[in-house]
Amino acid sequence: MAPSRIRLNDSLSRPADLAVALGLAEGGTEASAFWISGAFSHIARLWPLILLGKLCTVALLHVPLGSIYSILTLLFMLLIDGVLIVGPRAERFHNQRPHVQKWLMLPAVLLSSVTFSMLLGPARFAGPLSFSLAAEVAMALIAISVFGDRRLLGVSYFLGTLIVSAVQGAGFAQIGLLLSCIAVMLIAAVRQATVDLERAVTRHQQDLRAQRSDRLLQEYEQSGQGWFWETDRQGCLTYLSQPLARTLNVPEDDLVGRPITDIVSAGDHQNGGGERTLGFHLSARTGFSDVHVRAAATRDERWWSISGQPVFNEYGQFHGFRGSGTDLTEMRRSQAEVQRLAQFDSLTGLANRVQMLQSLEDAVAGARGQPGDCALLMLDLDRFKTVNDTLGHPAGDALLRQVSQRLQRVVGNRGLVGRQGGDEFKVLLPGGQDRALLSQLAKTIISTLSQPYTIEGKVVVIGVSVGISCCPQDGETADALIRNADLALYAAKGDGRGVHRFYSSEMHADAEGRRQLEEDLRHALASDGLHLVYQPVVSSKTERVTGYEALLRWIHPVRGEISPSIFVPIAEDTGLIGSLGEWVLRTACHDAAQWEEDIRVAVNVSPIQFANPGLPATVMNALAAAQLAPQRLELEITESVFLNDDEGTDAMFSRLKGIGIRLALDDFGTGYSSLGYLKKAPFDKIKIDQSFVRGAVMTGSRNSAIIKAIVSLAEALGMDTTAEGAETQDELALIRNLGCSHIQGYVYGRPLGASDVLARHRVHGTVALVEGFQSSRPERKTMLRTVAVHADGHAYTGRIRNISATGAMIEGLWNVPSGMDLTVEFSDVHSVHAVVRWSRDDRMGVEFASAIDIAAACALPRSLAS
């Protein structure tokens, strides 16, 4: 209680808190009000003695009562004292707040003293003090003894005597005596108030803690979560919670006095010591905790956990035990079920992740410190998510059960089959395994699991991909085998699914490179390491730019320019495509807002973005932030969004068109869907893929016929067409003749940055400038010649496959970024500067900085051949 004491002593230095301590002002809730008002009723019961003393004093002093003044004073005194006798006992008085009761008592006591002093009259005897004053002081002391700890009432009583003495012209000695009494009483009252308040706060807090503890214990007992017990020195029960007595179906009174060991059954080593263990602790008088015992004489088997501590008095004498207990019955009943579920999958009955990991660790442990031989197959179902989405999760669960049954039939006794989670399974084959047999088993699993299933009366077809790792060749620990089997499974899925792949070290290198590229992409997205370029879209009729397609570019600080075909799939797999797509959309809208009002901007949308319900909100936010009119934004969507064509796809199209933006079907003719979606999808434009444009002018090519058919289809549906990939003027002329409404390609120049677009508009306006070559293919010569290629201070060896006056195709260098400057050295005396225009695998097309003589280049000695 030290904190409370310090707080009170500090706070009493303030007048308001002193008034609270003296009972003259309303206090807080830190103490019960009884410490202020509790003595008033006691004073009222003893006040008749004070009145009797006053009357005896009047008689002994022969106070004359013959005058009207004396009679009235006596009557008034009787009235005031009567109020002090009756008032504090009245219910109305008790209903007042404690500080109000104090304020009512103070004037009453003052008036009682005043009337008594007035009745005695002034001093009538010689000497420094009169008999009347002595009588008044004596009566005041008697009153103070009645007031007890309410010393402020004594101050009030003495104050009344002082007032009358001063009015009657009493001498200095008499006044000084009364003032001394008042000062002493006042000091005593203030100090007593401090002690009273501190004691009241302490008592109140103790009472609150006791009440709170009682309530908490009662609520805890009634909740059934636990119970309490107490024994005497002989171990006999003196208290037991009622809920436990009801559980035992024995009246509480019948249990009191019986040994506590009577309610506990004898235990055993497996299930707990029971009565013996509990009895040992009781006889040893030592504390114990969580002793598991079985209840005796209960209708069903019940288990308890009992804890207890010995109780000693202040002299160290043992009084018994006091403790608590909890019911372990439900926990014990669930332990068996938990142990069963801990090793097996609840849905399929196969070994679960924990059992498979333990079995794999045992298999690779081997003997004599050498790793054991085993093989691990990781399986992932293909198209399982479609079943869940279309038929619901109950159908998916039924499918998983059928898959597990087929898998067990195929594997048989050769290994352990388990479910990893979701639609992933594992097969562990102990012992040495031949790769040919493993390959045959994987093919059998793929074939068996790919057979049709009947779920809820519907035929369902799925597939499976398999990744295989072997111990010790592919790893000597369980973690290594699992990781490598996962990499092999990832490779199998990347190779078209429905196949199996064995782990190889190249897979780990590829995975590490992909992981590093993912981290770099995250950093680039967070640090503005990406940028947009814009390729013009030109009207074939007006020869003016009607819009630009926003193309995403990433120049890696180490690897140089990285193609979107590499980093966009990584963004889709890792969940970055949402943030990446939102950044592209906002940036493109911001840049387009600075162009002329009739120029649109086209932004590619990933199928993952399209499936996100928040796409319309993202589009509206980007338009609002850039203050761009909706009709100036065109979203390019590929046919792959129709692979899961459902009501959600139609709803997304409806919401996007409701915003007012345009929709374009990108890469038309290269997807996997039919033409049926064109009947309902609200596209404004069809984009003809560049694979149809390239080579369309060549003799015998059917591409021009395909382009003409697409244009006719679009015109019939009221849609525009854009031919992509036009690079030469003869391709440009052909596309115009075939009726395409818009043209896009290098024939109108390379994609430009946002600042370059504005600069071009300031100089040329929206007039399109033809920059491509006249012929779609300059004269080329096939050859096989070794050359030296210099780039970034390094020399590489390459082979020219074909060459023209303006460029060549070189092979032997892998993944060279487009736009890279290099030097091609034909001999010691002849070299030419070039720029990489395209790159695929180990082949690249380069454009020479200036035209060369093909004949002279071919005639040079091959001094660099290797």
Side-chain angles (χ1 to χ4, degrees), residues 227-232 234-240 244 248 255-265 274-275 278-279 282 288 293-294 296 304 306-308 321-324:
W227 40 273
F228 300 96
W229 56 272
E230 190 176 43
T231 67
D232 57 15
Q234 286 73 35
C236 297
L237 289 169
T238 58
Y239 173 80
L240 193 65
L244 182 63
L248 296 173
L255 291 173
V256 173
R258 293 172 56 183
I260 189 174
T261 53
D262 286 356
I263 65 174
V264 176
S265 295
E275 176 195 12
L278 183 61
L282 293 176
F288 54 92
V293 298
R294 186 165 63 88
W304 298 328
I306 298 182
S307 302
F321 269 86
R322 185 181 299 127
S324 62

Side-chain angles (χ1 to χ4, degrees), residues 752-806:
L752 302 173
S755 59
D756 296 331
V757 171
L758 294 176
R760 181 170 182 173
H761 285 181
R762 285 193 296 268
V763 177
H764 302 288
T766 59
V767 176
L769 303 177
V770 178
E771 301 179 6
F773 295 106
Q774 180 65 40
S775 173
S776 61
R777 184 180 179 92
E779 181 184 357
R780 292 174 181 260
K781 184 174 182 179
T782 302
M783 65 183 302
L784 181 61
R785 182 185 180 89
T786 302
V787 295
V789 180
H790 298 270
D792 292 338
H794 300 280
Y796 306 90
T797 300
R799 293 181 298 277
I800 294 181
R801 302 292 300 186
N802 56 61
I803 189 171
S804 69
T806 58

Side-chain angles (χ1 to χ4, degrees), residues 132-428:
S132 60
L133 177 59
E136 291 173 8
V137 173
M139 192 56 60
L141 294 176
I142 297 174
I144 289 173
S145 66
V146 173
F147 295 149
D149 291 340
R150 306 284 76 83
R151 289 179 171 80
L152 193 60
L153 295 179
V155 174
S156 179
Y157 197 93
F158 266 108
L159 185 60
T161 303
L162 175 62
I163 292 174
V164 174
S165 298
V167 172
Q168 293 177 348
F172 175 78
Q174 182 174 343
I175 297 298
L177 175 63
L178 294 175
L179 286 175
S180 299
C181 292
I182 291 174
V184 172
M185 289 298 300
L186 187 58
I187 294 173
V190 171
R191 294 195 175 183
Q192 185 63 40
T194 303
V195 175
D196 287 346
L197 181 56
E198 182 180 355
R199 185 185 301 116
V201 170
T202 302
R203 185 183 300 111
H204 183 65
Q205 291 178 345
Q206 292 174 347
D207 292 343
L208 287 179
R209 282 197 297 268
Q211 294 173 9
R212 187 181 300 114
S213 299
D214 290 342
R215 288 195 301 270
L216 290 175
L217 290 177
Q218 291 175 3
E219 292 175 0
Y220 182 75
E221 287 182 331
Q222 296 302 324
S223 67
Q225 299 178 13
W227 40 273
F228 300 96
W229 56 272
E230 190 176 43
T231 67
D232 57 15
R233 299 179 61 185
Q234 286 73 35
C236 297
L237 289 169
T238 58
Y239 173 80
L240 193 65
S241 298
Q242 290 184 357
L244 182 63
R246 289 195 296 268
T247 301
L248 296 173
N249 198 26
V250 178
E252 182 180 1
D253 295 339
D254 293 347
L255 291 173
V256 173
R258 293 172 56 183
I260 189 174
T261 53
D262 286 356
I263 65 174
V264 176
S265 295
D268 52 50
H269 179 72
Q270 180 179 0
N271 295 322
E275 176 195 12
R276 298 184 182 89
T277 302
L278 183 61
F280 169 78
H281 286 291
L282 293 176
S283 61
R285 298 181 179 180
T286 59
F288 54 92
S289 177
D290 291 331
V291 174
H292 292 194
V293 298
R294 186 165 63 88
T298 53
R299 290 186 296 270
D300 54 350
E301 184 178 278
R302 306 199 68 85
W303 287 88
W304 298 328
S305 173
I306 298 182
S307 302
Q309 291 293 330
V311 179
F312 298 92
N313 63 10
E314 62 273 18
Y315 302 108
Q317 295 175 322
F318 176 66
H319 278 203
F321 269 86
R322 185 181 299 127
S324 62
T326 56
D327 198 312
L328 301 179
T329 305
E330 294 301 326
M331 184 189 73
R332 289 228 171 198
R333 290 174 180 173
S334 62
Q335 280 180 345
E337 182 67 14
V338 170
Q339 291 175 355
R340 187 185 68 82
L341 295 178
Q343 298 294 324
F344 295 94
D345 178 59
S346 59
L347 177 64
T348 62
L350 300 177
N352 63 7
R353 180 194 299 263
V354 176
Q355 185 180 356
M356 289 298 296
L357 178 60
Q358 183 61 49
S359 300
L360 181 60
E361 290 177 345
D362 294 341
V364 301
R368 298 178 182 178
Q370 298 296 322
D373 294 325
C374 63
L376 179 65
L377 283 68
M378 298 286 289
L379 288 69
D380 184 74
L381 302 183
D382 303 326
R383 300 185 299 277
F384 175 77
K385 184 177 183 300
T386 304
V387 177
N388 258 348
D389 294 341
T390 56
L391 300 181
H393 290 283
D397 292 344
L399 177 59
L400 290 176
R401 284 190 287 267
Q402 293 190 31
V403 168
S404 65
Q405 293 169 3
R406 293 189 185 184
L407 192 56
Q408 283 182 304
R409 286 198 299 269
V410 172
V411 177
N413 296 325
R414 287 180 287 182
L416 179 65
V417 180
R419 183 186 176 203
Q420 179 73 1
D423 59 344
E424 296 182 356
F425 295 83
K426 284 182 182 178
V427 176
L428 175 60

Side-chain angles (χ1 to χ4, degrees), residues 58 62-74 119:
V58 170
H62 304 289
V63 176
L65 300 177
S67 65
I68 297 298
Y69 169 80
S70 299
I71 295 175
L72 292 176
T73 302
L74 177 62
L119 183 61

